[in-house]
Amino acid sequence: MATPSTLAPLLDTLDPDAPQVERHLWLVGLLDWMRGDRSSVATTLERLQLLIERLEGDTELRTRAQAWWRALLGGVDSTTLLADHGFAQRPVFLSEFISRLLHRVLPATPQTRDASELHTLLFPHEFDAAWLGRLDEETERRLAAVLGLQTTGSWSWHAALEESIACCVSQICAIGYAPELRLRMEHSTHLQAYRELLVDFETLRRALHQRPLDPSALDPAVQAFKDRLDDCRQSANGVYEHLDEHGISVDVVFRLRQLRERILRCRLLLDALLAPDAAGTGKLLAQLVQAGHNSCSLRALIASNSSLLAAKVAERSAETGEHYITRNRADYYAMVRKAAGGGAVMSVTTLMKFALLGLGLSAFWSGFAAGLNYALSFVLIQLLHWTVATKQPAMTAPAMAAKLKDLDAPGAVEDFVDEVTHLVRSQVAAVIGNLALVAPGVLLLCGGLWLVLGQPPLSREKAEYVLGSLTLLGPTALFAAFTGVLLFASSIIAGWTENWFVLQRMDSALRYHPRITALLGRERAARWSAFARENISGLAANISLGLMLGLVPAFALFFGLGLDVRHVTLSTGQIAAASVTLGLDVLRLPVFWWCVAAIAVTGALNVAVSFFFAFRLALRAHNVTGLDRVRIYRAIRARARRAPLSFFWPAREAAAPAPVPHG
C-alpha cells in the first residue's frame, strides 16, 4: 500500500517560479516515486490516486500545482511530442541508424524546450506504458480537474492536438510526394489522395472552430478526413508491389513505414481531440511511450526495415537454389559430374595456393593473393557450369523453407521431408564429385611437377606442417564451422547484389544506354545484358567467398584472433599434396588418418552451418512462425528409420505403365 511518507517532501518543494530545469527535475522525481521499483502497476496507480487526493484536499497546494503546470506547459513545445515523438528525424535509413546509435551512447539533458526529449526523460521504462494504459476515465477526469485542464488549460490542449495533426498531415503529404514513392505508385489517383487530404483537414478545422459546434457539419468532416487517411494508406500498396517486382530499397521501405505510422498517429490524435474532458489521454501517452522506446531500438530499426530485403534475398536465393536440388537419379548423376569438374579445377587452385605462399608476401597481400586465386577458380567453375559442394546449402535452404509456408495443407509435411532428403542427397553427390577428382587431380599434378622439377612441389617440412594443421585433433572443427558462416555470408552478398542490380535496372541500362550500344552494338549489348542478369548473383557469391576465404584469416591474424578457414575440397587437395611428398609411408602415420577423419567433419560442418543460417533467414523472411516443429522432426526421423538410404541415394523411378491396347 502506498504511503505519503515520501510524497510530502516532494510536494513541499513544488515551486511554480522555479527555473525550467528545476521544474523538469521535480517532475522526474515525482514519477520515480510513483513507479517505485516497477514491480506492480497497481501500486503505481495507488500512488497516483494518493497524489490526486492530496491535491483535492489542499486548496493552497492545488493552486500552486495548477500554476506550476501552466508554467511547465508554457516552457515546452508540445507539438514535438504529439506529432513527432517516436518518428525518425532523418529521411533515410543510414542517417537514422547513426542517430539512434548516438542516442544510445550520449546522455540527454532535462534543460530543454523539446517536449519529446522531456517525455523520454520522464518515461524511460516500458513499464510506464503499462500503467499509463491502465488509467480509467474517472482518474483522468479528476487529474484534469486538479491541474486546471478543464478551465484554463483545456483550449491550449485542444490547440496543441490540432496543431500536431496539422504537422502530421504535412509530413504525410511530404512523404507521399517524395520522388522515391511517387514514381513507384501505380496510378495518378493515388497522388490525388494527398492533395485532397489537405483540403479535408482544412474543412475539419473550420468545423471544429464553429461556435457552437454543429454536429451536422463536424461528423461528415471527421469521416471524410478519416477516409482520406485510409486512401493515403492504401496508396502505399502499389509501392510495395513495385518493390516486390523490381527490387527492394531499404530507404524506400523506411519511408513507407514512416508514412503508415504517421497516418496511425494522425488517427490517434484526432480521437484524442474529439474526446471530452481529456478522456483517453493516458492511452495516448502510453502509446507515445511505446513509440519512443521503439524509436531508440537499433534492433527494431533493422528488423522492421530489412524484413522485405531479407525476403527478397531469400526469394532470389531460392530461385537459384532450385537448380542445386536433385530429385531423381538423372539429376544425381549430373550433379556428380558437375562437382567432379569443380574438383578438377580446385586441384589446380590448391597448387596455386602453395605457389603463392612460396612468394613470402606480407600477411595482407598473401591473403589477398589467396583470395583472388579462390575467386578466379570459383568464377571459372561457374562459367563452366560446374559446381562446388559447400556453396549449395546457403542457396538451397531458402528454396526448402519456401515449402513451409503451406505446412497445414494436406501432405505438406511429407513434401517437406522429401525436400530434406533431396537436399541431403544433393550435398552427398556434390561432395563425392568434388573429392573424387580433387585428390587424384592433385596427385597427378604433383607427380608431373616432380618429374619436371626433379623434386616434389612441397618440402617435407611443409608437408608435415600441412598434415599437422589439418588434423582433427586441432581446431579444424572450429575453423570448419567458421567457414560455414563465410559460405552463408557469400549467399547474402549474392542476394543483396542481385537485388541492387534489379533495383537500379542495370540490365536495362546495359542493353539500351546510347553510349554502351554505340560501343558494343545492339546485339552484343543485349547479350551482355542477359549474361549479367543471369550470372550477377553467382559472380557476387563466388568473388565474395573467394576474397573472404583469403582475407578474413589475414585480418583475424592482425587482431590476434588466430582464426583460419577449412574448406572440405581445398583441405582434401592439401592433404593429397602433402601425401605426395611423404610417399606411401604417410599411410602408417596416425596424423594422416586424423586428417582423413577431419575431411568428413569439415564437410559436415561446412554444409550444416551455412544451411542453418540460411534456413533461419528464410524462415524469418517468409514469416514462418508458430510451426509444429515436433511434427516435422518426427516425420524426418520416421523417414530415416523407414528408408535411410533415401538420404544418400535416389530411389529407382517407377516405370511408366504400359499403354492399354484398344480393341
Side-chain angles (χ1 to χ4, degrees):
M1 184 69 180
T3 62
S5 58
T6 53
L7 177 60
L10 276 172
L11 296 178
D12 290 340
T13 58
L14 180 63
D15 183 8
D17 299 321
Q20 180 196 57
V21 65
E22 295 297 330
R23 291 196 300 269
H24 295 172
L25 289 173
W26 186 90
L27 187 54
V28 169
L30 177 66
L31 290 170
D32 283 341
W33 168 80
M34 285 179 54
R35 68 174 66 92
D37 59 359
R38 306 193 302 278
S39 61
S40 171
V41 171
T43 300
T44 300
L45 295 177
E46 288 176 1
R47 295 189 178 191
L48 176 59
Q49 294 289 342
L50 179 62
L51 172 64
I52 294 174
E53 291 171 2
R54 289 292 304 271
L55 293 174
E56 289 175 335
D58 190 330
T59 304
E60 186 275 333
L61 179 61
R62 185 169 65 253
T63 303
R64 189 151 42 98
Q66 292 177 359
W68 177 91
W69 184 251
R70 289 194 297 272
L72 177 71
L73 294 181
V76 295
D77 180 6
S78 302
T79 305
T80 58
L81 169 63
L82 298 173
D84 299 322
H85 187 66
F87 292 117
Q89 302 303 311
R90 279 80 181 169
V92 293
F93 175 83
L94 183 59
S95 298
E96 178 62 15
F97 180 85
I98 296 173
S99 175
R100 294 192 185 194
L101 184 62
L102 292 176
H103 180 81
R104 296 277 299 259
V105 175
L106 301 178
T109 174
Q111 190 174 13
T112 179
R113 289 194 69 254
D114 188 341
S116 179
E117 293 182 0
L118 180 60
H119 187 270
T120 302
L121 284 171
L122 296 176
F123 303 106
H125 310 288
E126 292 191 16
F127 172 79
D128 295 313
W131 70 264
L132 284 170
R134 291 272 298 276
L135 291 179
D136 54 59
E137 291 187 7
E138 176 63 20
T139 302
E140 291 175 341
R141 185 193 61 77
R142 292 174 60 196
L143 185 60
V146 297
L147 293 179
L149 292 180
Q150 294 177 334
T151 55
T152 58
S154 179
W155 176 249
S156 63
W157 170 245
H158 286 159
L161 287 170
E162 186 179 320
E163 189 64 26
S164 300
I165 295 174
C167 289
C168 285
V169 168
S170 65
Q171 290 288 342
I172 291 169
C173 292
I175 297 173
Y177 275 103
E180 293 86 355
L181 270 62
R182 188 179 70 248
L183 295 175
R184 290 177 169 88
M185 290 183 182
E186 288 184 339
H187 307 292
S188 58
T189 54
H190 290 160
L191 287 177
Q192 184 179 354
Y194 297 97
R195 291 194 297 269
E196 295 179 352
L197 181 65
L198 295 170
V199 177
D200 290 336
F201 177 66
E202 286 303 320
T203 303
L204 173 61
R205 176 177 274 182
R206 286 194 298 269
L208 286 169
H209 283 263
Q210 286 185 0
R211 290 295 178 269
L213 286 176
D214 183 7
S216 64
L218 179 60
D219 294 344
V222 170
Q223 189 59 47
F225 182 64
K226 289 182 177 180
D227 291 342
R228 198 67 62 198
L229 287 173
D230 290 338
D231 291 341
C232 294
R233 187 175 178 181
Q234 289 297 323
S235 69
N237 293 339
V239 181
Y240 278 113
E241 293 173 4
H242 184 280
L243 292 176
D244 187 59
E245 181 178 355
H246 298 286
I248 299 296
S249 167
V250 174
D251 285 336
V252 173
V253 174
F254 182 72
R255 289 179 183 272
L256 287 172
R257 294 187 184 277
Q258 288 284 296
L259 175 64
R260 177 181 177 275
E261 291 169 6
R262 287 277 183 185
I263 292 172
L264 294 177
R265 176 67 60 84
C266 207
R267 294 287 298 263
L268 185 65
L269 294 174
L270 180 62
D271 292 341
L273 178 62
L274 299 175
D277 298 330
T281 303
K283 292 181 175 57
L284 173 61
L285 293 177
Q287 295 200 31
L288 292 176
V289 170
Q290 193 61 51
H293 282 283
N294 292 339
S295 70
C296 297
S297 172
L298 294 174
R299 179 179 297 179
L301 176 70
I302 295 172
S304 64
N305 291 282
S306 61
S307 58
L308 284 180
L309 178 59
K312 182 56 64 177
V313 168
E315 177 185 323
R316 298 194 185 282
S317 295
E319 293 173 1
T320 304
E322 285 289 341
H323 302 296
Y324 291 116
I325 299 179
T326 64
R327 293 183 170 86
N328 51 55
R329 289 196 175 187
D331 292 344
Y332 189 88
Y333 294 141
M335 178 61 71
V336 172
R337 290 193 297 269
K338 292 179 180 179
V345 175
M346 295 297 283
S347 64
V348 179
T349 306
T350 303
L351 292 185
M352 283 298 301
K353 175 186 177 180
F354 288 126
L356 293 171
L357 289 175
L359 297 178
L361 301 175
S362 63
F364 171 81
W365 291 111
S366 177
F368 179 77
L372 198 60
N373 176 40
Y374 298 147
L376 291 175
S377 299
F378 293 152
V379 169
L380 178 61
I381 292 171
Q382 175 193 351
L383 296 179
L384 293 174
H385 302 289
W386 294 338
T387 188
V388 178
T390 52
K391 283 179 71 277
Q392 297 175 16
M395 296 295 183
T396 52
M400 196 174 75
K403 307 293 183 182
L404 291 175
K405 291 190 291 184
D406 300 321
L407 195 61
D408 293 330
V413 174
E414 282 300 314
D415 291 341
F416 178 75
V417 175
D418 288 339
E419 287 297 306
V420 173
T421 58
H422 295 331
L423 174 65
V424 174
R425 281 204 307 266
S426 302
Q427 296 306 307
V428 170
V431 171
I432 290 174
N434 275 172
L435 302 189
L437 223 60
V438 68
V442 170
L443 293 176
L444 289 174
L445 290 173
C446 287
L449 290 173
W450 197 339
L451 291 176
V452 173
L453 301 176
Q455 60 182 12
L458 270 66
S459 65
R460 188 173 186 86
E461 293 77 10
K462 183 65 175 177
E464 292 174 350
Y465 172 79
V466 168
L467 294 182
S469 63
L470 297 178
T471 176
L472 187 59
L473 299 178
T476 293
L478 173 64
F479 294 161
F482 176 67
T483 304
V485 176
L486 298 184
L487 291 163
F488 164 70
S490 70
S491 72
I492 294 298
I493 294 173
W496 182 90
T497 303
E498 185 176 7
N499 179 76
W500 175 88
F501 186 89
V502 174
L503 180 67
Q504 302 298 327
R505 303 180 64 194
M506 293 303 298
D507 53 341
S508 179
L510 290 173
R511 183 170 185 176
Y512 296 113
H513 194 280
R515 293 183 181 178
I516 296 177
T517 54
L519 179 64
L520 300 177
R522 287 185 175 273
E523 293 184 1
R524 185 178 298 174
R527 290 197 302 270
W528 283 33
S529 171
F531 174 83
R533 178 65 182 86
E534 182 179 354
N535 293 280
I536 185 65
S537 177
L539 292 172
N542 289 319
I543 293 173
S544 62
L545 176 60
L547 292 178
M548 284 191 293
L549 290 177
L551 286 173
V552 169
F555 282 107
L557 179 63
F558 175 81
F559 289 102
L561 299 178
L563 281 175
D564 206 343
V565 294
R566 292 291 184 269
H567 189 281
V568 60
T569 309
L570 292 170
S571 296
T572 303
Q574 294 176 61
I575 294 171
S579 301
V580 171
T581 300
L582 298 176
L584 292 177
D585 291 339
V586 74
L587 300 176
R588 292 195 290 267
L589 298 177
V591 68
F592 171 78
W593 296 108
W594 281 113
C595 289
V596 172
I599 292 174
V601 173
T602 300
L605 288 174
N606 285 169
V607 170
V609 172
S610 61
F611 176 82
F612 170 78
F613 284 107
F615 190 62
R616 290 289 300 271
L617 174 69
L619 290 177
R620 182 184 298 273
H622 290 296
N623 295 319
V624 181
T625 57
L627 299 176
D628 190 357
R629 298 177 187 272
V630 175
R631 186 158 55 106
I632 296 175
Y633 296 149
R634 185 184 300 120
I636 294 175
R637 288 194 296 269
R639 177 70 62 85
R641 289 192 299 268
R642 187 174 68 250
L645 290 180
S646 64
F647 289 90
F648 303 97
W649 183 256
R652 186 182 301 276
E653 298 178 51
V660 178
H662 296 282

